[in-house]
Amino acid sequence: MDHRRQIHFLSGELKFPPVDLADAEGILAMGGDVSPQRVLLAYQKGIFPWYSDETPILWWAPDPRFVLYPENYKTSKSLRQVMRKKQFTVTFDHAFEEVINKCQNVPRAGQDGTWITDELKETFCEIHRLGFSHSVEVWQDGELVGGLFGTSLGRAYFGESMFSLVSNASKVGFATLVPQLINRGIKLIDCQVYTDHLSRFGALNIPRSKYSEHLEVLLDFDSLQGSWKNWSKEDE
């Protein structure tokens, strides 16, 4: 018997099917558009876009969901040593477009191509202008050598992508971001799907149903909307 679910095709209407209709891989729907309004709605529903220039727009709601509870966050002894050396400077929202360009174009071992299409890049830039998507920049001798970006809604933070041009740069960016999120009441960091890299920070898989329950609670809070540029100055 074939237990695969039928993938839904989205129309121009701004809505998604229930997440429990996703297929075994986690694909929920296909098509529609990646307007800022649709992407923000997707995150509120526990859904995210993940596709390439060679595929239709695909919307995912995998089960299980890979998340990091900030209180479970941990760093290695070696990373703490790197951070104590202060060889990097970390800022927030100083170079969003440059960070997303790097995330799109810097090659990654074992990956062919990128999910950040030009249309999605423009969408996230607009969501950044709306005050919901934010970048973390890691600088060395005035050069951008690492970074990441994500979207903040309610008391949840949805990680998108990171890049590193020198060893430990993106790790330092993430390790700087998490305590800042904790201080501002963020209770969940969405990492989407499992990676060894983030599991070392304490991320783990949880059932999709539990993830949806978390969102119902956390999205009732106000978002950390607006520029995060002053975050990097508060600890100086």
Side-chain angles (χ1 to χ4, degrees):
M1 182 180 295
D2 190 346
H3 294 282
R4 291 176 297 178
R5 309 258 181 130
Q6 181 179 0
I7 296 175
H8 291 72
F9 289 86
L10 301 183
S11 65
E13 188 177 4
L14 205 58
K15 64 182 295 185
F16 289 96
V19 294
D20 58 4
L21 295 180
D23 70 9
E25 289 184 274
I27 302 175
L28 174 67
M30 179 184 299
D33 56 61
V34 288
S35 66
Q37 294 76 19
R38 190 183 293 275
V39 170
L40 287 173
L41 176 63
Y43 285 123
Q44 293 172 55
K45 299 293 185 181
I47 303 161
F48 59 89
W50 190 17
Y51 64 103
S52 71
D53 286 324
E54 288 72 41
T55 70
I57 298 173
L58 297 175
W59 300 92
W60 297 72
D63 188 13
R65 189 69 167 238
F66 195 50
V67 305
L68 173 63
Y69 296 111
E71 67 268 22
N72 294 340
Y73 166 75
K74 57 188 179 183
T75 57
S76 65
K77 180 180 178 180
S78 60
L79 181 57
R80 291 195 296 271
Q81 290 174 338
V82 168
M83 296 182 73
R84 280 196 293 268
K85 292 178 181 177
K86 296 187 176 181
Q87 64 190 91
F88 300 110
T89 300
V90 180
T91 59
F92 296 83
D93 280 348
H94 279 61
F96 184 89
E97 290 193 31
E98 194 172 351
V99 167
I100 196 170
N101 282 335
K102 298 285 190 186
C103 288
Q104 181 187 39
N105 295 305
V106 171
R108 290 173 175 81
Q111 292 187 18
D112 183 18
T114 177
W115 66 273
I116 305 175
T117 64
D118 287 341
E119 60 183 345
L120 260 182
K121 181 169 67 174
E122 181 51 43
T123 291
F124 281 117
C125 286
E126 180 59 29
I127 294 174
H128 170 67
R129 289 189 281 270
L130 292 171
F132 294 105
S133 284
H134 305 276
S135 58
V136 180
E137 302 90 16
V138 183
W139 310 86
Q140 187 175 53
D141 300 326
E143 297 292 329
L144 183 65
V145 296
L148 59 133
F149 75 99
T151 300
S152 178
L153 295 171
R155 290 193 177 176
Y157 179 84
F158 305 85
E160 306 292 357
S161 184
M162 59 177 62
F163 79 95
S164 189
L165 299 179
V166 301
S167 180
N168 293 310
S170 63
K171 292 179 182 178
V172 167
F174 190 69
T176 303
L177 170 66
V178 175
Q180 294 277 8
L181 295 178
I182 292 172
N183 290 341
R184 290 163 174 82
I186 294 295
K187 300 298 183 182
L188 183 74
I189 298 173
D190 175 35
C191 306
Q192 298 179 345
V193 294
Y194 179 89
T195 66
D196 287 337
H197 176 66
L198 290 175
S199 70
R200 297 187 186 100
F201 285 101
L204 74 166
N205 280 321
I206 63 172
R208 181 175 57 211
S209 58
K210 187 173 184 180
Y211 178 76
S212 296
E213 290 172 3
H214 286 327
L215 290 185
E216 281 190 30
V217 174
L218 298 177
L219 294 179
D220 272 344
F221 293 87
D222 291 337
S223 299
L224 301 174
Q225 186 178 3
S227 175
W228 290 2
K229 280 187 176 181
N230 66 334
W231 284 23
S232 41
K233 296 179 181 179
E234 292 173 1
D235 296 327
E236 291 179 354

